[in-house]
Amino acid sequence: MYVSYRWLQEYFDAPLPSPETLAELFTAHLFEVEAVVAKGNDCIFDCKVLPDRAHYLLSHEGVATEVGVLTGLVRKVAPSVDAPAATGGVPVSIQNDQLCRRYL
């Protein structure tokens, strides 16, 4: 998985440690960093995420949360997303109750 240093910085007001320091923290605590590649004015971490950590480390937001824990930096609060308004629902009719005994 590729993780952008600049994109991670957007989750914090305070400056992040250097990319090299973050790579060391990642390797020691989260996942193996196979390479740190400079691209323009950004650094890209090539990370090898293990399956047991995939549920929260396969997104920049999950990695940013872990960076906050490892560095002690306060992460910005993610903007809340309003749920769509409930509609009247969709009418459902069961034509054969032997094939569909229960519908939820």
Side-chain angles (χ1 to χ4, degrees):
M1 181 180 123
Y2 296 114
V3 178
S4 165
Y5 180 80
R6 286 187 56 210
W7 202 349
L8 284 178
Q9 182 61 64
E10 292 181 13
Y11 289 93
F12 300 94
D13 289 325
L16 289 174
S18 69
E20 295 77 21
T21 303
L22 274 182
E24 290 174 11
L25 284 173
F26 290 159
T27 300
H29 298 284
L30 298 175
F31 43 68
E32 181 182 348
V33 176
E34 295 180 344
V36 179
V37 180
K39 283 204 167 202
N41 59 353
D42 195 5
C43 285
I44 307 298
F45 301 97
D46 184 2
C47 306
K48 185 177 180 182
V49 178
L50 297 173
D52 65 330
R53 299 202 178 216
H55 62 284
Y56 63 96
L57 288 179
L58 288 181
S59 68
H60 276 79
E61 186 171 354
V63 174
T65 300
E66 292 298 317
V67 168
V69 171
L70 293 173
T71 62
L73 296 175
V74 177
R75 205 188 106 185
K76 292 180 188 176
V77 177
S80 63
V81 177
D82 294 332
T87 60
V90 177
V92 175
S93 64
I94 299 173
Q95 296 174 357
N96 186 339
D97 61 356
Q98 295 300 315
L99 297 175
C100 180
R101 296 175 189 253
R102 182 171 77 174
Y103 178 82
L104 298 175

